[in-house]
Amino acid sequence: MTKSLCIISGSTLGGAEDLAEEIASQLAKQGIENDIFHGPTLQDVAEYSHWLVVTSTHGAGELPDNLQPLFMEIYDHNPTLPELKFAVIGLGNSDYDTFCYAVERVRHTLSNHLAKELCPALKIDMKEMEDPILPAENWLPSFTKALKA
């Protein structure tokens, strides 16, 4: 791993992708270089030491279609990722039993491959929040503090 931070979005309707773009912009304004990927392959992001995954939950608690290939690659190739540090932001609707379940899928998969979680995940309830940027902005300092530690 030679590069630092990548932001990975998994989105069905574009909300998580838009949020990832806004976070990338805010981090860049703070001098934190980052690259953004919408639905990458493992090869695209393997060189990064830090991942910020921004994802919606699809269907019955699944990862969005554009994020599934990355996590299937991790599952299929079973790499150990002890040098990877990650954080997760999820968008969901609390009317569903599987509210932000994609967050737990990401956390579980990466932790099982020895990656370290930087800070508690953020789960944004789109039922209560029209614009997810405000809760993300409030969460971002905990992420940047952990990123710099």
Side-chain angles (χ1 to χ4, degrees):
M1 294 186 186
T2 58
K3 297 180 181 181
S4 188
L5 175 63
C6 72
I7 300 171
I8 299 168
S9 75
S11 192
T12 302
L13 301 175
E17 188 173 303
D18 292 344
L19 181 58
E21 294 281 350
E22 180 62 31
I23 289 169
S25 175
Q26 288 192 20
L27 290 171
K29 288 177 187 172
Q30 295 177 41
I32 299 172
E33 290 184 29
N34 63 82
D35 294 317
I36 190 161
F37 296 89
H38 305 297
T41 65
L42 184 56
Q43 183 177 345
D44 292 334
V45 296
E47 292 185 32
Y48 291 86
S49 60
H50 296 78
W51 292 2
L52 173 55
V53 180
V54 182
T55 184
S56 60
T57 296
H58 177 69
E62 299 299 321
L63 294 170
D65 288 345
N66 70 331
L67 200 53
Q68 284 185 14
L70 170 63
F71 283 85
M72 286 305 297
E73 276 186 88
I74 292 170
Y75 180 78
D76 290 344
H77 294 100
N78 202 25
T80 55
L81 305 168
E83 294 176 19
L84 176 64
K85 294 177 177 58
F86 72 94
V88 188
I89 296 175
L91 303 176
N93 182 321
S94 63
D95 281 341
Y96 295 94
D97 291 342
T98 57
F99 170 65
C100 284
Y101 197 69
V103 169
E104 299 310 317
R105 289 184 182 274
V106 169
R107 292 177 70 227
H108 179 78
T109 299
L110 294 178
S111 295
N112 279 350
H113 289 86
L114 307 179
K116 308 282 187 291
E117 191 167 13
L118 283 169
C119 59
L122 172 64
K123 296 179 181 179
I124 301 171
D125 188 353
M126 295 305 291
K127 176 183 168 187
E128 305 291 328
M129 186 72 47
E130 227 173 273
D131 185 0
I133 193 60
L134 183 60
E137 285 175 341
N138 292 334
W139 175 87
L140 216 47
S142 66
F143 172 71
T144 57
K145 181 179 177 185
L147 191 62
K148 294 175 181 178

